Amino acid sequence: MSEDARFGLSRTVTLPGPLRLDGGVLLSPVDIAYETYGTLAPDGGNAILVCHALTGDHHLASNHPRTGKPGWWTRMVGPSKPIDTDKYLVICANVLGSCLGSSGPATINPATGKPWAMAFPVITIRDMVRAQAMLLDHLGIARLFAVVGGSMGGMQALSWAATFPERVAAAVVIASAARHSAQNIAFHEVGRQAIMADHRWRGGDYYHDSDPPASGLAVARMAAHITYLSEAGLTAKFGRRLQARDAKTFGFDADFQVESYLRHQGLSFVDRFDANSYLYITRALDYFDLAEEHGGTLANAFRGDTRFCLVSFDTDWLYPTSESRTIVHALNAAGAPASFVELSSPFGHDAFLLESPELDRVIGGFLQNGTPR
Amino acid sequence: MSEDARFGLSRTVTLPGPLRLDGGVLLSPVDIAYETYGTLAPDGGNAILVCHALTGDHHLASNHPRTGKPGWWTRMVGPSKPIDTDKYLVICANVLGSCLGSSGPATINPATGKPWAMAFPVITIRDMVRAQAMLLDHLGIARLFAVVGGSMGGMQALSWAATFPERVAAAVVIASAARHSAQNIAFHEVGRQAIMADHRWRGGDYYHDSDPPASGLAVARMAAHITYLSEAGLTAKFGRRLQARDAKTFGFDADFQVESYLRHQGLSFVDRFDANSYLYITRALDYFDLAEEHGGTLANAFRGDTRFCLVSFDTDWLYPTSESRTIVHALNAAGAPASFVELSSPFGHDAFLLESPELDRVIGGFLQNGTPR
């Protein structure tokens, strides 16, 4: 493990598998792109797995090798940060189904020598977690000091505790939910239909030329992006302010700043994300229902001795506080140790990625309390 | 006016105009499709104009001539109904920019002999109201006993009172707002981009063949439809229930009932609505800001002696109660008589179109109180 001690070591491992998926398919091989930060303690007891959100990647706290941009959670992860890489070995892996290094529709199907495209098997959040468990086996990490994630990352943290309770001492679940609501599914279905409506999608077979369904993917991203922000946040940031020319054009250009902003969100997204991966990962999210996986009773998902920390944000309407409360009630019913805090933020769901000293304190404190050393 | 006395008389008038639009263009001629119900009183004082919402039409209370379906507000309008066609002459006109009989992008541009398409001038809510005023002139109606509308219809009612205060005795504004918020604009921009991303949109020039941008329009409708329903309403109606086969397919068919429902909403919409009209009317909504039209102070919009009735629904997150309160505060500041009630409903924005005895009572009572006879 000595190599992993370097800060932000990025690599991809190809594991032979097979990985048995919830859909019944055996996937083999399984590529997993991941980064590690810090050093594994001699007793192996200081590993923290951070799980990323829908469109995230494993470049957690180091600069992105291609864009040069800082990792997506540098605020939280690093030396003397709340997830302190001087104390913990921190691991972040690109999720199964994604397009940023791990196996997904854009990777090669060994049976054909061509990209899987829509022949890639439909995956679940639990399948993502199983792939991560294979990675930990490969890294020789038997048990996690903690698994930490926001949004879809929080669902993976929940699924880790439910699927491998003996391997998770603590789980931090931020701005997340134990299931996707009808409204969540509806927004994702809009995104999927936008992608499939793009004539360049071609049933997912678009990898052979450089003409992906970028317009549809941009629309999908725009719709989703609205759900990441609060109405109050949008009003504060943009309101009805017009673009620089400061007059309505009586046309269909982006007159309002919020239009221009959304268009930019859509356009910049298609440069970094694969449309088919967007289909697969939104499907995994929609399928997620931890209670259903446990006989319809959420408390049954929590039978280990994992301790939990839950955080929600008061303006998050994608995964509102009520969803976290549902989890807390189930944890209480299961007798699992759980702390819960609703933080105040104007930024809606996106708050978990933004500057938040309170969130830093909550996570830092929770991890600190579990540190036996 | 004797002909108009028949119930649900539907016709289209071509007015020479010109109609001076907010964008500076003179539109001529102006087609207006409308229906009337009831009989104009000898003193002309019993006319009620009902204004429809984004995708509505003038088939208010009679069966649609093509589909045979009941009018969209038969619940509210008819003999002995809250808007009582035995007492009032009720008028409903298809809005300017629409595709259901009134002038819009699908109608013929007299300069070219071809459909206007995107050469149709961008219009505003106030332009819709001006066209309606031309219709009333044509019908010989000097002053409205009331103007009534929900959603975009409520905006027209507000704009009527602000633009022609001497012609409006009373205004009923249901589930509406005095301006479009940043989030409202954002959702509309998603819809517009979905339409424009459809390769069959072709810059709006798709009228010559039978291949309109149906996929893009369906996606636009799906995204908008989510905003018409509450999260709780979606959960109650669909939750995470699967389709009849009652098992996940691990594929991309509509596994969940909510997906199937949304897809149906999108697909059925494209049969009855024109994509370019959707662009134009959403633009008119986004441009709507009654305060801005009156020096930045909403109270300045209300200088007549119109009396107002405002109704909001507690689960409406498209035009939430706070938007109605903003209007009420402005009316109070202007010294205008105003009543306001927030009704409780699980159905979100759509509640104004659904069975609601409370809404019936509020509207019936408000109109009754104004009846001098």
Side-chain angles (χ1 to χ4, degrees):
Chain A
M1 290 297 297
S2 62
E3 271 189 303
D4 290 330
R6 280 187 281 137
F7 193 74
L9 184 77
S10 185
R11 54 180 170 179
T12 301
V13 62
T14 298
L15 302 171
L19 175 61
R20 180 177 294 277
L21 303 173
D22 273 329
V25 174
L26 295 175
L27 184 68
S28 173
V30 180
D31 295 336
I32 301 178
Y34 65 102
E35 278 192 9
T36 59
Y37 309 82
T39 312
L40 190 65
D43 68 356
N46 72 333
I48 293 180
L49 177 69
V50 176
C51 303
H52 68 69
L54 205 173
T55 67
D57 59 28
H58 50 294
H59 304 298
L60 174 68
S62 59
N63 290 348
H64 191 285
R66 190 169 54 82
T67 66
K69 285 187 184 169
W72 58 270
W73 225 13
T74 48
R75 190 177 64 67
M76 186 66 73
V77 180
S80 304
K81 302 255 173 103
I83 299 177
D84 187 346
T85 52
D86 287 340
K87 291 171 59 179
Y88 305 110
L89 171 73
V90 180
I91 307 148
C92 185
N94 186 222
V95 296
L96 193 67
S98 186
C99 51
L100 301 163
S102 294
S103 289
T107 52
I108 297 298
N109 177 354
T112 64
K114 291 179 183 168
W116 283 96
M118 299 303 286
F120 193 77
V122 166
I123 48 155
T124 65
I125 299 291
R126 185 160 55 182
D127 291 333
M128 296 175 186
V129 165
R130 289 182 179 121
Q132 290 160 353
M134 283 172 55
L135 174 66
L136 295 197
D137 292 345
H138 167 75
L139 296 176
I141 297 169
R143 180 173 160 92
L144 290 167
F145 177 73
V147 56
V148 180
S151 195
M152 188 180 85
M155 296 178 192
Q156 293 164 69
L158 289 169
S159 186
W160 256 102
T163 311
F164 302 107
E166 73 288 355
R167 298 186 74 167
V168 186
V172 180
V173 179
I174 309 160
S176 193
R179 45 122 228 192
H180 241 214
S181 73
Q183 191 184 65
N184 295 152
I185 296 171
F187 274 114
H188 275 175
E189 178 63 3
V190 167
R192 285 189 294 262
Q193 290 298 315
I195 289 168
M196 293 178 172
D198 189 326
H199 70 291
R200 294 173 298 182
W201 180 60
R202 292 170 277 176
D205 287 323
Y206 54 78
Y207 295 111
H208 57 284
D209 57 28
S210 54
D211 197 22
S215 305
L217 181 60
V219 169
R221 178 63 168 184
M222 288 171 67
H225 198 81
I226 299 173
T227 70
Y228 303 154
L229 308 174
S230 71
E231 196 277 336
L234 273 170
T235 297
K237 195 166 181 176
F238 303 108
R240 294 182 47 81
R241 279 189 295 282
L242 297 166
Q243 293 280 77
R245 55 187 171 276
D246 207 30
K248 291 181 184 130
T249 62
F250 287 90
F252 292 91
D253 285 342
D255 272 359
F256 295 100
Q257 290 179 12
V258 66
E259 293 177 291
S260 174
Y261 169 78
L262 260 196
R263 289 188 191 184
H264 172 75
Q265 292 297 324
L267 292 174
S268 61
F269 182 61
V270 302
D271 288 338
R272 69 177 179 87
F273 214 78
D274 175 54
N276 284 342
S277 276
Y278 196 82
L279 299 178
Y280 277 84
I281 300 179
T282 57
R283 201 55 167 162
L285 280 162
D286 291 351
Y287 274 5
F288 186 61
D289 185 347
L290 198 54
E292 188 204 56
E293 290 174 7
H294 294 85
T297 303
L298 187 56
N300 290 346
F302 307 118
R303 293 306 182 196
D305 59 355
T306 306
R307 61 192 192 94
F308 288 84
C309 171
L310 283 102
V311 183
S312 70
F313 292 93
D314 57 355
T315 57
D316 182 352
W317 60 281
L318 185 68
Y319 303 133
T321 291
S322 56
E323 297 292 335
S324 287
R325 282 222 180 85
T326 299
I327 300 168
V328 171
H329 292 160
L331 289 168
N332 291 341
S339 67
F340 167 55
V341 61
E342 179 190 60
L343 298 180
S344 190
S345 162
F347 300 114
H349 183 66
D350 261 1
F352 85 94
L353 289 169
L354 303 175
E355 188 63 37
S356 168
E358 294 86 350
L359 181 61
D360 295 355
R361 271 196 296 276
V362 168
I363 294 182
F366 177 79
L367 295 178
Q368 197 74 35
N369 289 343
T371 308
R373 284 154 273 118
Chain B
M1 291 296 298
S2 62
E3 271 189 304
D4 289 331
R6 280 186 280 138
F7 193 73
L9 183 76
S10 184
R11 52 181 170 179
T12 301
V13 62
T14 298
L15 302 172
L19 175 62
R20 181 177 291 278
L21 303 173
D22 273 329
V25 175
L26 296 174
L27 183 67
S28 174
V30 180
D31 295 336
I32 302 179
Y34 66 101
E35 277 193 10
T36 59
Y37 309 81
T39 312
L40 191 64
D43 69 354
N46 72 333
I48 293 180
L49 177 69
V50 176
C51 303
H52 68 70
L54 204 174
T55 67
D57 59 28
H58 50 294
H59 303 299
L60 175 66
S62 59
N63 290 350
H64 191 285
R66 190 168 55 81
T67 65
K69 284 186 185 169
W72 58 271
W73 225 12
T74 47
R75 189 176 66 66
M76 186 66 72
V77 179
S80 304
K81 301 256 172 102
I83 299 177
D84 187 346
T85 52
D86 288 340
K87 291 171 60 179
Y88 306 109
L89 171 73
V90 180
I91 308 149
C92 186
N94 186 222
V95 297
L96 193 68
S98 186
C99 51
L100 301 163
S102 294
S103 290
T107 52
I108 297 297
N109 177 354
T112 64
K114 292 180 181 167
W116 284 96
M118 299 303 286
F120 193 76
V122 166
I123 49 155
T124 65
I125 299 292
R126 185 158 57 182
D127 292 332
M128 296 176 187
V129 165
R130 289 183 179 120
Q132 290 160 355
M134 283 173 56
L135 173 66
L136 295 197
D137 293 343
H138 168 74
L139 297 176
I141 297 167
R143 180 174 160 91
L144 290 168
F145 178 73
V147 57
V148 181
S151 194
M152 189 180 85
M155 296 178 192
Q156 292 164 69
L158 289 168
S159 187
W160 256 102
T163 311
F164 302 107
E166 72 289 355
R167 298 187 75 166
V168 186
V172 180
V173 179
I174 309 160
S176 193
R179 43 121 228 193
H180 241 212
S181 73
Q183 192 184 64
N184 296 152
I185 297 171
F187 275 114
H188 275 175
E189 177 64 3
V190 167
R192 286 190 293 263
Q193 291 297 315
I195 290 167
M196 294 179 172
D198 189 326
H199 70 291
R200 294 172 298 182
W201 180 60
R202 293 169 278 175
D205 288 324
Y206 54 79
Y207 295 111
H208 58 283
D209 57 30
S210 54
D211 198 22
S215 305
L217 181 60
V219 169
R221 177 65 167 182
M222 288 173 66
H225 198 81
I226 300 174
T227 70
Y228 303 154
L229 307 174
S230 70
E231 196 276 336
L234 274 171
T235 296
K237 195 167 181 176
F238 304 108
R240 294 181 47 82
R241 279 189 296 282
L242 297 167
Q243 292 282 75
R245 57 187 172 275
D246 207 32
K248 292 182 184 131
T249 62
F250 288 90
F252 292 91
D253 286 341
D255 271 0
F256 295 101
Q257 290 179 11
V258 66
E259 292 178 291
S260 175
Y261 168 79
L262 261 197
R263 287 187 191 184
H264 172 75
Q265 292 297 325
L267 291 174
S268 61
F269 182 61
V270 303
D271 288 337
R272 67 176 181 86
F273 215 78
D274 175 54
N276 284 343
S277 276
Y278 196 82
L279 298 178
Y280 277 83
I281 301 179
T282 57
R283 201 55 167 161
L285 280 161
D286 291 351
Y287 274 5
F288 186 61
D289 184 347
L290 200 53
E292 187 204 57
E293 290 174 8
H294 294 85
T297 303
L298 187 55
N300 291 346
F302 307 119
R303 291 307 181 197
D305 59 357
T306 306
R307 62 191 190 94
F308 289 83
C309 171
L310 283 103
V311 183
S312 70
F313 292 93
D314 58 355
T315 56
D316 183 352
W317 60 281
L318 185 66
Y319 303 132
T321 291
S322 55
E323 297 292 335
S324 288
R325 282 223 179 83
T326 299
I327 299 168
V328 172
H329 291 160
L331 290 167
N332 291 342
S339 67
F340 166 56
V341 61
E342 179 191 61
L343 299 180
S344 190
S345 162
F347 301 114
H349 183 65
D350 260 1
F352 85 95
L353 289 170
L354 304 175
E355 188 64 36
S356 169
E358 294 87 349
L359 180 62
D360 296 355
R361 270 197 295 279
V362 168
I363 294 182
F366 177 79
L367 295 177
Q368 197 74 36
N369 289 342
T371 308
R373 285 154 275 120

